[in-house]
């Protein structure tokens, strides 16, 4: 076989099933590649060679089979895996080894997916560049001096650089789709409740959703079907069948569909090169037989401020559990200090600046005197955004926009300007507030850097993303980074 790391997940599974290769060789090829290049990329926080090879051996022994058996995967470090360090990109959980598997991990394991290790991320998934990781940033394989997106930049960089054909991300405000956009990969945020949140370290519970990262739409669909489905351990999990996403990716036919271009997701803040590629993508969709209409979602303009009240509010509550008693770091516990002092020292040292900013913002927004003015108001905006989506989906089957307003920016560029960082999520946040599924897939390059096309669908209609995505993908070869930095 040629270089096993260049194969898609589907090709790997087929080659293993046909006996042309075996899962151990595939796992080893990816582990070797990580050993060779990850010093430059820093996509991984922890590599679990032993665990990966053990699963691969079980697949080769015929103990596990299925459509993704023996396929390597990189897991965002926000998802707990029994016995494997889980840091969430934070010092506060350094050294913590979870005593159980997330439902997502359970499902991956029983499908024979080979988990290579844990990927880097912005601390507690707060950010758009991985620069807020307490363990240093990840680099974009297209240009090592640029960001790979965030918060799941480790997952997207691993997939784009052929360290893994698949990865898991989580998307609260765009953390699967924006990294996919800026690394030229495919990323999907499923319908809220489509994939269990059990075992995800919580950021904003009404928004958090795990989903697939891959290099092709079909690979994302295969992974989607493995991880999705009802889980009684997550009370917001949807108790109905998983949308037929693999079938839809095979169908890849959009003739007769109506596609809505969202007027509000363009203009100010969007780079001309991004808008250019997006306009061409819309032309392509028309050429494929879709009817394209313009739709207006007037409240999308308020999505960003609403999100930056709701998400920090929920985070301020969720992060209260990092109290120096239950998990991870404990600072200053010398026997003389009170519990409150130890707690405060631990949180002061264990959390980074962005996490503290969010906790302070959220605590303020929830305080009794301001609750109605901030949190209450943001919830109303959330309802209006949902109404915008409902009205738009009466006119169009799916909506499209650029997935990120810019191409990958240089490391350091937005670090001193939190609002500029937040604006990376302009196009992705509306779907989170509404709860509907959305995908980013590559639609060409601008200045040699990838641009992402976002497709948004009504809740529980995830298959529509794959139908449109696969049809579009067929018109354009998957982009491959130059990788000229490789030793
Ligand atoms: N960039 C957004 C934030 O910082 C989204 C994060 C996410 O989706 N986890 O909150």
């Amino acid at each position: 076989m040629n270089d096993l790391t260049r194969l898609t997940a589907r090709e790997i599974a087929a080659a293993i099933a046909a006996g042309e290769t075996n899962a151990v060789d595939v796992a080893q090829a990816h582990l070797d590649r990580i050993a060779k290049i990850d010093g430059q990329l820093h996509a991984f926080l922890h590599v679990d060679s032993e665990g990966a090879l053990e699963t691969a051996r079980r697949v080769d022994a015929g103990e596990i089979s299925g459509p993704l058996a023996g396929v390597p995967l990189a897991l965002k470090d926000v998802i707990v895996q029994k016995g494997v360090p889980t840091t969430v990109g934070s010092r506060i959980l350094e050294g913590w080894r979870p005593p159980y598997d997330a439902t997502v991990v359970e499902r991956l394991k029983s499908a024979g997916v080979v988990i290579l290790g844990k990927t880097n991320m912005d601390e507690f998934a707060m950010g758009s560049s991985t620069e807020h990781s307490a363990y240093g940033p990840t680099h974009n394989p297209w240009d090592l001096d640029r960001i790979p997106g965030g918060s799941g930049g480790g997952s997207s960089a691993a997939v784009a650089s052929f360290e893994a054909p698949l990865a898991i991300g989580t998307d609260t405000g765009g953390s699967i789709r924006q990294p996919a956009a800026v690394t030229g990969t495919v990323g999907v945020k499923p319908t809220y409740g489509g994939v269990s949140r059990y075992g995800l370290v919580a950021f904003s519970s009404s928004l958090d959703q795990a989903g697939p990262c891959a290099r092709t739409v079909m690979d994302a669909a295969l992974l989607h079907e493995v991880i999705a489905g009802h889980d009684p351990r997550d009370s917001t999990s949807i108790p109905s069948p998983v949308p037929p996403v693999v079938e839809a990716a095979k169908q890849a036919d959009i003739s007769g569909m109506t596609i809505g271009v969202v007027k509000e997701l363009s203009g100010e803040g969007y780079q001309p090169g991004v808008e250019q590629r997006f306009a061409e993508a819309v032309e392509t969709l028309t050429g494929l037989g879709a009817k394209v209409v313009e739709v207006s979602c007037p409240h999308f303009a308020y999505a960003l401020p609403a999100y930056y009240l709701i998400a920090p509010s929920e985070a301020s509550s969720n992060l209260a559990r990092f109290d120096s008693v239950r998990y991870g770091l404990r600072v200053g516990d010398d026997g003389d200090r009170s519990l409150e002092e130890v707690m405060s020292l631990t949180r002061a040292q264990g959390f980074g600046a962005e996490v503290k900013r969010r906790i302070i913002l959220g605590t303020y927004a929830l305080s009794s005197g301001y609750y109605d003015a901030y949190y209450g108001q943001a919830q109303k905006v959330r309802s209006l955004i949902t109404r915008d989506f409902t009205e738009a989906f009466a006119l169009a089957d799916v909506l499209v926009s650029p997935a990120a307003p810019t191409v990958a920016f240089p490391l350091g560029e937005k670090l001193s300007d939190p609002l500029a960082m937040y604006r990376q999520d302009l196009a992705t946040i509306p779907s989170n507030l509404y709860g509907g599924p959305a995908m980013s897939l590559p639609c060409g390059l601008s200045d040699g850097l990838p641009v992402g096309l976002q497709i948004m669908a009504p809740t529980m209609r995830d298959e529509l993303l794959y139908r449109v995505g696969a049809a579009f993908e067929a018109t354009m070869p998957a982009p491959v980074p130059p990788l000229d930095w490789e030793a």
Side-chain angles (χ1 to χ4, degrees):
M1 293 279 318
N2 294 330
D3 186 354
L4 293 168
T5 63
R6 292 291 173 137
L7 301 180
T8 65
R10 186 162 68 152
E11 289 165 347
I12 289 172
I16 293 173
E20 292 160 20
T21 184
N22 60 67
V24 167
D25 285 353
V26 171
Q28 195 58 58
H30 287 86
L31 292 168
D32 290 347
R33 178 151 181 82
I34 294 168
K36 180 175 164 221
I37 67 169
D38 207 55
Q40 284 163 285
L41 274 184
H42 195 223
F44 283 86
L45 291 176
H46 179 83
V47 179
D48 181 22
S49 310
E50 224 171 278
L53 290 169
E54 176 55 31
T55 308
R57 274 192 287 270
R58 293 186 54 209
V59 170
D60 287 340
E63 288 171 37
I64 326 171
S65 58
L68 288 180
V71 178
L73 170 140
L75 187 64
K76 188 177 179 184
D77 205 26
V78 65
I79 297 174
V80 307
Q81 183 182 352
K82 189 175 178 177
V84 177
T86 298
T87 68
V88 201
S90 182
R91 292 280 171 208
I92 209 147
L93 274 181
E94 199 169 6
W96 181 60
R97 288 178 188 257
Y100 70 106
D101 278 332
T103 297
V104 166
V105 171
E106 254 179 21
R107 291 186 180 179
L108 292 170
K109 284 183 174 173
S110 51
V113 173
V114 172
I115 303 176
L116 297 169
K118 310 296 292 288
T119 53
N120 198 14
M121 55 183 285
D122 287 294
E123 186 176 4
F124 282 96
M126 297 170 184
S128 301
S129 69
T130 76
E131 291 167 296
H132 296 316
S133 167
Y135 303 95
T138 297
H139 301 261
N140 190 321
W142 286 82
D143 176 349
L144 294 184
D145 295 329
R146 290 175 188 266
I147 59 106
S151 63
S155 286
S156 65
V159 169
S161 66
F162 303 95
E163 289 183 328
L166 298 175
I168 298 283
T170 55
D171 193 311
T172 303
S175 285
I176 292 175
R177 290 164 287 159
Q178 182 260 8
V182 301
T183 57
T185 54
V186 178
V188 179
K189 180 195 93 73
T191 296
Y192 178 79
V195 175
S196 171
R197 286 185 298 109
Y198 181 76
L200 262 62
V201 179
F203 163 13
S204 178
S205 307
S206 77
L207 301 164
D208 296 343
Q209 190 58 203
C213 313
R215 289 190 295 267
T216 68
V217 171
M218 177 55 85
D219 279 4
L222 291 166
L223 181 54
H224 192 134
E225 285 199 358
V226 165
I227 59 174
H230 183 239
D231 177 12
R233 290 178 294 190
D234 170 4
S235 60
T236 58
S237 165
I238 300 170
S240 46
V242 178
V245 294
V246 172
E247 204 41 52
K250 281 186 197 148
Q251 189 185 356
D253 174 17
I254 60 167
S255 50
M257 279 179 87
T258 304
I259 294 179
V261 174
V262 184
K263 198 174 88 185
E264 285 75 11
L265 300 180
S266 65
E268 203 195 324
Y270 291 81
Q271 276 175 351
V274 168
E275 298 220 278
Q276 184 60 39
R277 291 294 90 79
F278 172 68
E280 291 162 12
V282 171
E283 286 291 305
T284 302
L285 293 169
T286 310
L288 289 166
K291 182 179 161 207
V292 174
V293 295
E294 189 182 80
V295 299
S296 175
C297 295
H299 300 94
F300 280 19
Y302 307 105
L304 202 67
Y307 171 89
Y308 278 97
L309 288 166
I310 293 168
S313 293
E314 294 184 10
S316 71
S317 162
N318 273 325
L319 270 57
R321 64 169 64 90
F322 302 101
D323 56 5
S324 79
V325 177
R326 280 173 275 199
Y327 336 78
L329 190 70
R330 181 176 304 169
V331 179
D333 185 13
D334 56 9
D336 293 333
R337 289 199 174 87
S338 70
L339 178 61
E340 281 74 19
E341 281 175 296
V342 173
M343 234 179 241
S344 144
L345 284 170
T346 302
R347 287 169 67 87
Q349 219 178 93
F351 289 138
E354 182 61 28
V355 172
K356 287 177 185 159
R357 183 180 291 124
R358 305 276 180 118
I359 292 174
I360 292 168
L361 203 64
T363 309
Y364 183 76
L366 290 177
S367 58
S368 60
Y370 294 101
Y371 185 93
D372 290 337
Y374 293 119
Y375 186 73
Q377 198 70 4
Q379 291 291 17
K380 286 183 195 156
V381 171
R382 188 170 186 175
S383 301
L384 292 171
I385 286 167
T386 298
R387 198 179 300 165
D388 280 358
F389 269 110
T390 310
E391 286 170 9
F393 287 130
L395 305 172
D397 299 301
V398 296
L399 307 179
V400 291
S401 75
T406 72
V407 295
F409 50 88
L411 285 157
E413 188 185 87
K414 300 191 197 301
L415 265 184
S416 56
D417 185 353
L419 288 180
M421 192 73 90
Y422 298 171
R423 279 198 290 273
Q424 278 296 304
D425 309 323
L426 274 177
T428 45
I429 279 177
S431 290
N432 297 90
L433 292 173
Y434 157 60
M439 168 188 283
S440 175
L441 79 163
C443 66
L445 306 180
S446 167
D447 294 329
L449 294 166
V451 176
L453 167 66
Q454 176 172 237
I455 308 166
M456 296 166 272
T459 50
M460 297 172 69
R461 297 300 308 278
D462 305 47
E463 77 280 6
L464 294 175
L465 307 176
Y466 289 92
R467 208 174 127 191
V468 178
F472 182 81
E473 182 186 53
T475 68
M476 199 176 268
V480 177
L483 302 172
D484 45 7
W485 44 269
E486 262 190 62

